[in-house]
Amino acid sequence: MGERDAEMLDKLNLSVDEITFYCALIENEESVRQLGDDNLRSLAIELTQQLRKSATVDWQKRDSVRARMRNLVGRLLRRWKYPPNAAEAAIKLVLEQAEVLADGWYR
């Protein structure tokens, strides 16, 4: 974890997994302007909870489960009014991050 992540951990009071998703969400500057840090923080927490709950062993290798996870992330972004023009890139980045983190979720 980088120094910037450690600072965010303290400042935002998020877990390491939540910080990972938070960073994916703030890649788009418009989302930060529209939603603000507090909403993005809450969205990162909810994303982490929902993805952990929905992840199954080897979900990354099963197309049907990947599609369900993708829909889950898309629905959450829409519900939180994440900018539609940035949603596709955010979904892709969130799922990539989830794939990396998922191995630690089953242990």
Side-chain angles (χ1 to χ4, degrees), residues 18-46:
E18 291 163 349
I19 286 286
T20 301
F21 294 127
Y22 178 82
C23 288
L25 295 170
I26 64 170
E27 284 285 312
N28 179 278
E29 290 180 26
E30 184 182 346
S31 69
V32 178
R33 282 194 304 275
Q34 282 187 6
L35 297 172
D37 278 339
D38 286 342
N39 284 330
L40 288 169
R41 179 186 174 281
S42 297
L43 175 53
I45 291 169
E46 187 169 356

